Amino acid sequence: MVFAGQVAADRPDGGAPGPESATERIRVRYNGDDYSAEPIAKGAAYEIFSTEPGAGFLRNPRPGARKPYRRFVPAVEINVIEGRAPIPAEQPLSAPLSRNLSWSAVHALSQSRRNVDDELVARIRLSAKIFRGTRMVKVLSGRQLAGHLHGWLPQGFCYREFDVAHLRTPAELSVLRSDGDDGRADPVVFALRWRAIDPSDYQAPFAADFGGLVRMAPGDRLGSPVLGTGFAPSGQHVIPEFVTANLADLPLTAFAELVAYTDDGTEVVLYRYLPEQRAWGRMFGPQWRGLFAAVPGIAPEQEYFVIPPAPTRLMGRHHGAEYEAIADPPGEFRVLAKTRAARYAVESLSRRTPYLGWRRAPCTVVRDEGDWLRVRLVRPDIESITRLGAGCIERGIYEAWAPRAETAGYREVDIEYDLRNPAA
């Protein structure tokens, strides 16, 4: 990618120039043509503008825009030829391209289950890394959005925002849905966005570790099949996917967001997580209430959604005492406290997750209702889900209610994070 410094006279979207427009102007070259552009998702992708319609371009919804068409493209596919562009924080997926290995060949390798043990596929997939502070995304249906507003945590299949920031419409994002309606063209789709605390919280869904999901029959799963190559099924894109470690819940990070994407590519921040209040705070105005037509049981005018404590939580130590903690990665980790004076920085941090065994299957605990526990399979396969009578909640996630008296080996496992390592 080329970075050059040059100034512009008007706004990239064709609107009226503002006082800061001289420092905002960026021009990029994409597919041999030059466009004015704006970076999105901290430079992971670009919104490019055109006066003429073209393949892949959408209507620009900005009032009075002189360039009425726009398109979203990955940063790795464009060259910045004018202006100061942000340097993306993440590393792009890399492959040893040559005359014998084109990008279309890499796509074919990523989509074939015959390549689940291929060393080249694994090497390409593992070039997509997560660091402390990496922005993660999980695409949601209306039902899943309602679940997160009532306390669901990040779980299961997810993606680096860097790899999917150019997918902005419900049709484009449908390939990432996990609710079983990945082929449905809704006018709006939702997403959860948060920041990674540590790479150890995520795994690549290779067949060697998740063979049960790879072999799962269509009637026993929701969403797209799990290929076992570590890539999402897609006829067009090469998207590295991740799963939360052991398919367990992860604690929400400070200021996580629930967002909506409309059919013109507009992103609307709906709610932001307020960790001291343990609540989602509403961020959108009344003009967006129509987005909630497909969200069951949610009143869009409600300002706060207080969520209950979950079995999985962050724990930190301060001066030898243990407290529940808040993560604001990449650099801030502190005691959970409502008063500012008590928000001490923690000296150590860990994710505490309860595990147990039920009917010879290892599980995590996602809800504790006294005599009954809601458990989730760590390594789902057809035999274990049949033995437990587990249901598929979403792609890769199988849960059941277990009588506490029938379970064994209940224990809380602390996954320690190395806060001294800033490169984690």
Side-chain angles (χ1 to χ4, degrees):
M1 182 179 296
V2 178
F3 294 92
Q6 200 162 337
V7 181
D10 59 358
R11 287 175 52 87
D13 64 3
E20 303 298 327
S21 61
T23 61
E24 295 175 354
R25 171 67 175 259
I26 293 176
R27 288 192 67 80
V28 302
R29 183 161 294 148
Y30 174 69
N31 279 352
D33 294 317
D34 295 352
Y35 301 93
S36 55
E38 289 183 355
I40 60 172
K42 299 187 180 298
Y46 282 80
E47 181 181 5
I48 62 176
F49 303 94
S50 174
T51 56
E52 301 293 334
F57 278 82
L58 305 166
R59 279 284 183 181
N60 185 351
R62 292 173 173 83
R66 293 197 299 271
K67 297 180 180 178
Y69 301 97
R70 64 175 180 173
R71 182 176 181 177
F72 300 92
V73 296
V76 295
E77 294 185 11
I78 61 98
N79 286 327
V80 177
I81 57 177
E82 295 181 15
R84 181 182 299 176
I87 299 176
E90 309 304 327
Q91 297 178 355
L93 186 76
S94 63
L97 300 183
S98 66
R99 292 181 178 179
N100 297 322
L101 185 68
S102 65
W103 193 247
S104 60
V106 170
H107 176 264
L109 289 172
S110 74
Q111 299 300 299
S112 175
R113 297 190 185 191
R114 294 173 296 179
N115 298 308
V116 294
D117 296 320
D118 189 285
E119 181 180 349
L120 174 60
V121 173
R123 182 153 46 95
I124 295 172
R125 170 59 187 81
L126 291 176
S127 69
K129 299 182 182 299
I130 290 177
F131 299 95
R132 184 165 293 148
T134 294
R135 282 155 61 105
M136 305 297 295
V137 172
K138 181 180 179 70
V139 176
L140 310 173
S141 65
R143 177 188 64 84
Q144 290 170 312
L145 174 72
H148 282 281
L149 287 173
H150 289 122
W152 291 8
L153 298 177
Q155 62 187 22
F157 283 81
C158 53
Y159 307 87
R160 298 190 307 175
E161 184 186 48
F162 180 86
D163 299 311
V164 299
H166 60 291
L167 305 178
R168 293 277 295 222
T169 67
E172 292 171 334
L173 288 164
S174 65
V175 69
L176 307 181
R177 291 180 65 158
S178 62
D179 62 340
D181 289 326
D182 48 292
R184 190 172 67 190
D186 288 336
V188 61
V189 71
F190 306 98
L192 171 67
R193 186 163 58 203
W194 72 98
R195 287 165 292 159
I197 300 173
D198 194 88
S200 63
D201 285 338
Y202 302 89
Q203 297 175 269
F206 290 133
D209 298 316
F210 296 93
L213 292 181
V214 174
R215 294 186 294 271
M216 202 70 69
D220 297 315
R221 60 173 169 81
L222 292 177
S224 303
V226 178
L227 300 177
T229 60
F231 292 94
S234 171
Q236 179 180 358
H237 306 286
V238 180
I239 303 174
E241 56 184 5
F242 298 84
V243 292
T244 56
N246 287 333
L247 299 173
D249 284 345
L250 299 180
L252 281 167
T253 52
F255 314 118
E257 294 175 327
L258 289 166
V259 300
Y261 295 96
T262 65
D263 55 7
D264 64 4
T266 299
E267 177 188 284
V268 183
V269 178
L270 301 176
Y271 300 92
R272 186 164 291 150
Y273 181 62
L274 309 174
E276 285 86 3
Q277 290 76 33
R278 295 183 186 274
W280 290 101
R282 184 166 69 90
M283 303 295 295
F284 63 96
Q287 73 272 28
W288 298 111
R289 289 181 179 176
L291 299 177
F292 288 81
V295 182
I298 297 297
E301 64 272 11
Q302 186 171 337
E303 294 284 343
Y304 289 94
F305 289 85
V306 179
I307 65 174
T312 293
R313 59 197 190 278
L314 286 176
M315 305 301 296
R317 298 192 72 84
H318 175 75
H319 288 181
E322 188 176 65
Y323 301 92
E324 194 163 352
I326 291 173
D328 190 0
E332 189 172 346
F333 307 95
R334 62 183 188 271
V335 172
L336 173 61
K338 289 188 177 182
T339 58
R340 185 174 297 274
R343 296 173 188 170
Y344 307 113
V346 297
E347 297 141 10
S348 65
L349 185 71
S350 63
R351 169 171 58 90
R352 180 167 293 172
T353 301
Y355 285 79
L356 54 74
W358 184 42
R359 296 179 181 173
R360 307 188 309 281
C363 304
T364 60
V365 178
V366 294
R367 283 179 60 187
D368 188 336
E369 300 288 346
D371 291 337
W372 290 86
L373 301 171
R374 184 71 172 178
V375 299
R376 180 181 302 154
L377 282 161
V378 169
R379 290 291 183 270
D381 57 34
I382 190 60
E383 180 184 357
S384 60
I385 66 172
T386 301
R387 190 166 65 247
L388 271 61
C392 188
I393 306 305
E394 61 180 49
R395 184 173 180 236
I397 299 296
Y398 292 81
E399 295 181 358
W401 285 102
R404 183 185 291 268
E406 292 184 9
T407 64
Y410 184 100
R411 64 200 186 281
E412 291 185 322
V413 177
D414 284 0
I415 308 300
E416 297 287 340
Y417 301 129
D418 185 2
L419 298 184
R420 298 169 298 178
N421 181 11

